[in-house]
Amino acid sequence: TCALPISRDDNKALGGRAGVELAPQGLEFGASVYRGNYANDAALGTLNLTLIGADAAFRSSGFEARGEIVTASQDATGGELNKTGGYIQAAYLVTSKLEPVIRFSARNMPGESGDQSRLSLGASFYIAASSSVRVAYHFNMEKSAFAADNNAIALQWNIIL
């Protein structure tokens, strides 16, 4: 007989999101949570990860603004790691085919070298109702001691089947 494992490491997790949409006003608010163990350490036992997030969006006449913030608490062999990240974004559907977008995102990681923020300027080009091409230029901003020349161009093609 062959027993197939249900989980590769028997670690369990639970997560979910609750949201409220106020359709006439174009508003949406949400909160999310995730809690689970991601590894077992011989000395510390089960290592857990907890994520707590909040998000909001506003839509009106082709304009959309949205944002999200997430905090993470992660058990680690060297102690607890606390992380925070999030973004705010605005887009406007100029025509049925063109939507420029601006986005600012940031993360705060343990140790200054992991802290980073990014400003992205881009656009979505809607080829058809089920397909779009997106292009963006990312201005990456690290703290000065860890700065790198790593700005990037991203190109994405989306298709809905």
Side-chain angles (χ1 to χ4, degrees):
T1 60
C2 177
L4 296 175
I6 300 297
S7 169
R8 69 174 169 81
D9 54 13
D10 292 325
N11 294 326
K12 306 295 180 247
L14 182 63
R17 179 183 183 275
V20 174
E21 184 175 2
L22 306 171
Q25 294 82 10
L27 295 169
E28 181 181 342
F29 301 97
S32 54
V33 65
Y34 169 93
R35 171 86 173 156
N37 47 343
Y38 69 94
N40 293 308
D41 181 86
L44 298 175
T46 301
L47 300 177
N48 292 301
L49 173 64
T50 302
L51 303 170
I52 298 173
D55 61 88
F58 171 73
R59 294 174 199 86
S60 177
S61 301
F63 175 76
E64 179 183 73
R66 63 176 47 251
E68 179 177 25
I69 186 163
V70 176
T71 62
S73 175
Q74 179 180 359
D75 296 338
T77 55
E80 186 173 313
L81 302 175
N82 293 303
K83 310 169 189 180
T84 305
Y87 75 93
I88 54 173
Q89 174 178 302
Y92 183 71
L93 192 60
V94 177
T95 70
S96 62
K97 303 280 186 191
L98 174 64
E99 184 178 39
V101 64
I102 184 169
R103 178 182 178 124
F104 178 80
S105 56
R107 68 180 188 199
N108 184 349
M109 306 291 278
E112 290 186 34
S113 64
D115 294 350
Q116 184 182 26
S117 57
R118 172 186 280 179
L119 177 66
S120 299
L121 301 174
S124 294
F125 303 94
Y126 298 99
I127 300 165
S130 62
S131 182
S132 66
V133 173
R134 294 180 178 164
V135 63
Y137 189 81
H138 303 301
F139 297 93
N140 294 315
M141 299 167 276
E142 298 86 0
K143 293 195 174 187
S144 62
F146 306 98
D149 185 13
N150 60 356
N151 293 344
I153 295 174
L155 180 64
Q156 180 181 38
W157 176 43
N158 303 303
I159 187 165
I160 300 171
L161 300 175

